[in-house]
Every structure is written in structure tokens, then in C-alpha cells.
Amino acid sequence: MQITKCRICESSGIHRFLQLGATPPANSFVKPEDAASEVSFPLELFLCSDCGLVQLGYTVPPEALFRNYLYFSSTSETLKRHFAALAEEIMQRFVKPGGLVVEIGSNDGVLLRNFAGKAAVAIGFEPATNVAEVARAAGVETINDFFNSSTAAALLEEKGPASAIVATNVFAHIAGLKDLVKGMQLLLGKDGVVIVEFHHLASLYSHMEFDSIYHEHLCYYSMKPIQNLFGLYGMEVFDVKKITIHGGSLRVYAQKIGAGRPISPEVQKIVDEEEAIGLYQLKTYERFAGDIAGLRDELLALLRKLKSEGKRIAGYGAPAKCTTLLNYFGIGPDLVEYIVDRGAAKQNRLVPGVHIPIVGPEKLQSDRPDYLLLLAWNLCDEIVGQQEEFRKSGGKFIVPIPKPRII
Ligand code: SAH
Ligand code: ZN
């Protein structure tokens, strides 16, 4: 479905500034035998000139994306540590003994596992059946369904109001955005807190993280649209923190108006920073689109030069975002022979669209390419650390973003 109005403020003043072509959904890593039957959808970005929300034009139906899912947050050590610390903070600051913590998009239980043995009831919503099973096996109470105002009402009926509702890296994914926030407002206790983490549009723009643009991510948030969205349902943002996850994210804390926590000056500070870099102006994005095309030319020139020198290139990491980068740049198996990834669910599959094969990291013990294109660039330190052997034996990494560099 193609939108005709802004997903938050419903203005028809939406302007297209970026066209990345038609690509298959980024997480649809295909089995070789299914490669011929892939479906592609347009990947185009719009800015709403009224509320400043940057958003995709086309919505792929959620049932097609989120019932079977190949992303497991716990694959990353960085994320495991990050969510263990968040659980600790939630317990200390916001939840009394016996309080209810609800997570939306709880995935494999990466956050909620940390509540085992704590004095709180933790429940997650996770629509992907294969992922929910992993969480349940780890002892995390999981509702295998989409969170919306009706599933929220059912949980409220059963368990009472929540002390904390957490939604990390899922606000961008939900087509029924307003119904989601309505559900939060319904389920949240009057002094409860909502904690939302999302990739910050300011980082996406400033660090050229355009590969985060794919069909699962319908919205690319900055502060003002988030404040508007909560405001529509009687809630307000009272605090915000910058976090390094996924190349630069924000953690936003919201409450019902009247809950009484003072509004931190950090909130306005982030808005001011966003305005200073032009995040609410169309011309910023028009320039951004040109810069992405420039990055493409630069990376392709580098890869082709290395190839012409007889070097062998593979890839490291097959996150969803590699689908956007490889497809938009037109990088196939002729330039990058294969990609290694630790996630078992992706191994022996192909990158959607460009069909580069994905294998396990043990491949690097029997085969030593000269270069590894680091597609999971957000985990640069973790991966380069793990691959010390590869570098000791003369192997090099190419980090594509924000500007191609070799380490
Ligand atoms: N919270 C984890 C996982 C993020 S990936 C983290 O931060 O790493 C997004 C997750 O949200 C996926 O597991 C997806 O299946 C789930 N999801 C998508 N739509 C949802 C909805 N409407 N309600 C609850 N979860 C949803
Ligand atoms: Zn708008």
C-alpha cells in the first residue's frame, strides 16, 4: 500500500526525496531454490513538511514480514550487554516489587531474560512464532501476537496496568502506529513509564546510515514527531538519552500527562541540535540523497580496483541493512564472493535481490579472502575484535559507512 498522507499528522504535504529502487524485504534471506520467486516493493522516502516525520511511502503488509523472522537480538554480545543494563535501570528506577513490565517486540527475550529472579512480572509481545519459541524456551513469558489496542486491552484485563512498557527498535516497524500508542496509553498505569528506543534520524543523516532504510522501517524518528505522537494520546516525553546502539539511537522516556516527573532540559536540547543540522528541512534531505549516490560511486570504485588487482573480497555480517546497501549499490557475487554471518538462521541462504551466498564464520578458517566488507558496520568493534586472527594473517576490513575506509 502506498501512503497519501503523513503516518502521524495526516498532512498531505509529504515530499519524496529518495528512491532506492524496488527491492525484496531486507530480512527475506532466501533459500537458493526459492530465489526465482522473490517479490520486490518500492523503497522510497518522504518528508512530511508539517510535522517533520521521515517515512517510507510503501507499506508491506506486516503479516508478510513478522510472522517468521530471521533476526535474533541475542546474536550480538553488544545488544545482550545493552539490554541487561536497561533491565537493571528499569528495576531500580521504575518498578516496585510485583510490578508489571511489558515489552513490545520482545524478540528472543534479550531484554526480558534479565528479569528472571527479579521482583517483577515480565511479559513480551512477539508476533514471530519462530522467535517467540526461542524466548519461551529461555523462560520468558511471551504472547505470540502483535501488540495493538485490542491485545493491550486483553492483557490489562488479565494482569492490570503496567509499571513500565518498553519498545526498542519496533516503533519504526509498526504500520498501525496510532493504535500502538493508544494501546500503550490504555495499558500504562497512571505513574507508569514508557521507554522507547529508536535509531535516531540525526545519526542516520549525519553518518550516512542510509542502509537502515528498508521496508520494515516505516518511520525514521526525530524528537518532534515522537513528541507529537505521544501528545495525541495524553502522554509526554520527560527524558531522553543518546545511546550508541545501531549507529546512534535515542532512548526516550514518556509518561501520562499529570504523572508529574519533571521534563528534563535534555529534551529541548536534542530538538535544538536537530534543528541546527537542518533535520526538519527538505533541502537537507535532497542533499543527503546526492551524498548517498556519491558514496555508491566511491565504494564501487574501490571494490573494482581491488578486484582488478586480483584481490578476493568477501563480506562480514548479513544484517537486514546489507540488503539495502548491496541492492542499491548493485554489488553481487561478482564483487563480494560470499558473506559470513554468525546467525544460523541466515546461513546457507542468499542475500535478497543480489543473491550473495551466506555461510558460517568457520569458512574463514579454510578460506582467507584478502578483504572483508563489513556490512554489520554498527558492530565494528565487536567483529574486528573477534576476527583478530584474520587481521594478523594480513586480512583487512573495508568499512563502507560513513565513507569507505580500510582497517
Ligand atoms: N526489541 C528487540 C527486537 C527488535 S526487532 C531489539 O531491540 O533488539 C523488532 C521485533 O518486533 C521483531 O521481533 C518483530 O517480530 C516484532 N514486531 C513487529 N511488529 C510488532 C507488533 N505489532 N507488536 C509486537 N512486536 C512486533
Ligand atoms: Zn506529518
Side-chain angles (χ1 to χ4, degrees):
M1 289 159 300
Q2 186 72 31
I3 56 163
T4 52
K5 299 183 299 186
C6 171
R7 294 170 189 271
I8 292 182
C9 78
E10 299 188 8
S11 158
S12 49
I14 53 172
H15 307 280
R16 187 176 66 193
F17 62 87
L18 182 63
Q19 300 185 67
L20 295 172
T23 60
N27 260 313
S28 303
F29 294 89
V30 273
K31 295 187 187 137
E33 61 270 27
D34 300 331
S37 56
E38 279 182 314
V39 226
S40 292
F41 303 97
L43 194 54
E44 299 179 338
L45 272 193
F46 291 74
L47 171 72
C48 171
S49 54
D50 281 306
C51 77
L53 181 69
V54 169
Q55 53 203 300
L56 280 197
Y58 192 86
T59 312
V60 177
E63 291 285 339
L65 296 177
F66 301 119
R67 280 302 187 180
N68 177 57
Y69 201 55
L70 296 181
Y71 175 74
F72 293 83
S73 307
S74 299
T75 311
S76 156
E77 298 300 327
T78 310
L79 290 181
K80 282 206 294 210
R81 281 196 303 274
H82 172 75
F83 288 117
L86 176 58
E88 196 57 40
E89 179 184 327
I90 293 170
M91 282 308 295
Q92 283 181 8
R93 287 182 65 186
F94 302 117
V95 185
K96 297 197 186 80
L100 174 65
V101 177
V102 176
E103 188 183 4
I104 301 169
S106 48
N107 197 265
D108 58 7
V110 67
L111 171 74
L112 296 184
R113 280 173 207 219
N114 298 288
F115 288 90
K118 298 263 165 63
V121 180
I123 301 177
F125 281 86
E126 177 46 63
T129 305
N130 65 319
V131 183
E133 272 164 12
V134 173
R136 283 178 179 160
V140 174
E141 188 173 346
T142 305
I143 299 169
N144 181 206
D145 209 345
F146 292 94
F147 180 89
N148 51 44
S149 61
S150 65
T151 53
L155 184 63
L156 177 69
E157 177 84 29
E158 199 190 322
K159 304 272 182 185
S163 304
I165 302 179
V166 188
T168 63
N169 306 302
V170 67
F171 250 51
H173 300 59
I174 298 186
L177 195 53
K178 293 189 180 169
D179 192 57
L180 159 79
V181 181
K182 187 175 161 198
M184 286 178 140
Q185 121 86 30
L186 203 70
L187 182 58
L188 191 69
K190 72 179 190 339
D191 302 322
V193 61
V194 167
I195 298 177
V196 177
E197 292 182 4
F198 52 86
H199 186 205
H200 189 193
L201 181 61
S203 322
L204 190 156
Y205 163 70
S206 306
H207 310 143
M208 297 290 288
E209 295 162 358
F210 81 97
D211 52 351
S212 306
I213 301 166
Y214 47 87
H215 298 104
E216 277 173 36
H217 296 161
L218 299 166
C219 297
Y220 301 80
Y221 292 104
S222 49
M223 272 315 268
K224 290 207 242 178
I226 279 280
Q227 288 175 300
N228 279 342
L229 181 57
F230 281 116
L232 291 176
Y233 293 94
M235 293 189 279
E236 63 186 358
V237 173
F238 67 89
D239 202 0
V240 58
K241 249 188 226 170
K242 286 186 187 169
I243 52 178
T244 55
I245 297 302
H246 300 308
S249 299
L250 290 183
R251 177 187 292 162
V252 157
Y253 302 77
Q255 62 187 355
K256 288 188 170 165
I257 292 173
R261 295 178 193 87
I263 311 247
S264 159
E266 283 303 304
V267 177
Q268 187 56 41
K269 213 174 112 192
I270 303 264
V271 174
D272 293 344
E273 284 174 19
E274 291 175 345
E275 286 183 331
I277 61 169
L279 224 51
Y280 296 102
Q281 290 168 27
L282 185 59
K283 67 173 194 294
T284 305
Y285 297 97
E286 286 166 350
R287 198 172 51 229
F288 181 59
D291 291 346
I292 298 169
L295 177 64
R296 172 187 60 196
D297 297 345
E298 199 178 331
L299 184 65
L300 282 176
L302 172 66
L303 298 179
R304 287 185 184 132
K305 173 173 155 284
L306 293 173
K307 272 289 187 195
S308 72
E309 291 165 358
K311 303 289 194 231
R312 291 187 50 217
I313 308 168
Y316 198 103
K321 56 175 163 274
C322 85
T323 302
T324 295
L325 186 140
L326 296 169
N327 279 278
Y328 179 57
F329 286 5
I331 298 173
D334 53 324
L335 284 174
V336 172
E337 291 175 38
Y338 57 85
I339 296 174
V340 299
D341 191 282
R342 288 172 68 185
K346 291 177 184 169
Q347 293 166 10
N348 304 318
R349 295 189 179 229
L350 307 173
V351 176
V354 293
H355 298 161
I356 301 176
I358 301 166
V359 297
E362 61 286 350
K363 170 92 174 174
L364 296 177
Q365 271 135 45
S366 57
D367 186 55
R368 233 292 318 273
D370 301 292
Y371 289 87
L372 285 174
L373 178 62
L374 187 57
L375 294 157
W377 49 259
N378 55 315
L379 301 175
C380 186
D381 295 345
E382 177 175 338
I383 291 169
V384 173
Q386 280 162 2
Q387 293 300 322
E388 222 175 83
E389 278 308 304
F390 170 75
R391 287 179 73 215
K392 271 199 192 128
S393 64
K396 293 191 171 71
F397 281 95
I398 303 169
V399 185
I401 279 175
K403 211 182 141 47
R405 71 191 163 103
I406 295 176
I407 51 175

